[in-house]
Amino acid sequence: LQSLVERSLLRFSDERYWMLQTLREFAREQLAELGEMGRLDLLLAHHVAARINRVDPALVFFPDIDNWRAALERALAENDAELALALFMGSGAWRVRETELVYWNDRVVADTRQTPAGRGLLLRSRALPLWILGDAVGAVEAAEEAVSLLREQGSPDELAFAVVVLGLVLSRGEEVDRARQTLQEGLAIATTTADRRAAIWALHSRGELERDQGNPSLAQWLLESALAEAAAAGQPTATILQGLG
């Protein structure tokens, strides 16, 4: 590979080798003529999914978002529900924008036959982007259906975060008491299943809710608890620190 770099046939950056665009296009044309593109695109899709499985998507950043998009397209073309779900659920590693997340979510739901648990995960992942984009009603509906499906499937490991997401989207509306109860339930499930990510989100969201409701002492305790949990788990703490002011 190094010899190809030295001859300007490849480039090396960010700890990865990259094929020059003109060579890549030529290679794809040749492979298409041989009828090999579909097989190789599917290999790429499985490779991208395997990369996701080796990391926490919330803690890494992959710059090659076009590979992620191509992988999803191939998974959808193959109607491979499991592969499409794995790729979508790992989207955090590419920091995909909310509008694109909703687009791919729609595609995966429409083009693959998901299990009830898979549909629950997709709806859970749909709720936050909708909420950020200003569709509070759609966010609550997605989160509620996600909780219902995951509860029916008896998936406590996945249910905790779905309940917390529902509490979060509710906390920005008028159902304050329901939001409190939902976040408390999410924290309880997260504690039982040792889901630190869900516990951190529950404490953080409840802390911001209490701050907005004029309960500064309780808010500070909740946010400090979230901060301690995040630090212990090696999770990002910047957003929580902003809440503490």
Side-chain angles (χ1 to χ4, degrees), residues 131-160:
W131 175 67
I132 292 170
L133 292 170
D135 184 359
V137 173
V140 170
E141 290 175 350
E144 286 177 333
E145 188 176 351
V147 168
S148 177
L149 285 168
L150 294 172
R151 203 187 298 277
E152 288 174 3
Q153 296 304 303
S155 307
D157 291 341
E158 302 294 354
L159 176 62

Side-chain angles (χ1 to χ4, degrees), residues 115-121 123-124 140 142-167 170 178-179 181-190 192-193:
T115 64
R119 180 173 173 80
L121 293 176
L123 286 163
R124 186 186 72 182
V140 170
E144 286 177 333
E145 188 176 351
V147 168
S148 177
L149 285 168
L150 294 172
R151 203 187 298 277
E152 288 174 3
Q153 296 304 303
S155 307
D157 291 341
E158 302 294 354
L159 176 62
F161 195 62
V163 173
V164 172
V165 168
L166 175 57
L170 286 169
R178 185 186 172 200
Q181 294 169 2
T182 304
L183 289 169
Q184 189 62 38
E185 180 192 0
L187 179 59
I189 300 171
T192 301
T193 59

Side-chain angles (χ1 to χ4, degrees), residues 59 200 204 208 211 223 226-227 230-231 234-245:
L59 300 179
I200 293 164
H204 184 196
E208 291 195 331
R211 182 196 60 199
L223 291 170
L227 183 62
Q235 296 285 327
T237 59
T239 303
I240 304 172
L241 287 170
Q242 289 176 3
L244 283 167

Side-chain angles (χ1 to χ4, degrees), residues 2-3 38 42 48 60 63 74 95 100 124 154 166 169 176 178 182 184 201-202 207 244:
Q2 185 57 36
S3 66
L42 187 57
V48 173
V60 300
R74 177 46 53 182
R95 306 296 187 271
E100 187 172 0
R124 186 186 72 182
L166 175 57
V169 296
V176 174
R178 185 186 172 200
T182 304
Q184 189 62 38
W201 275 62
L244 283 167

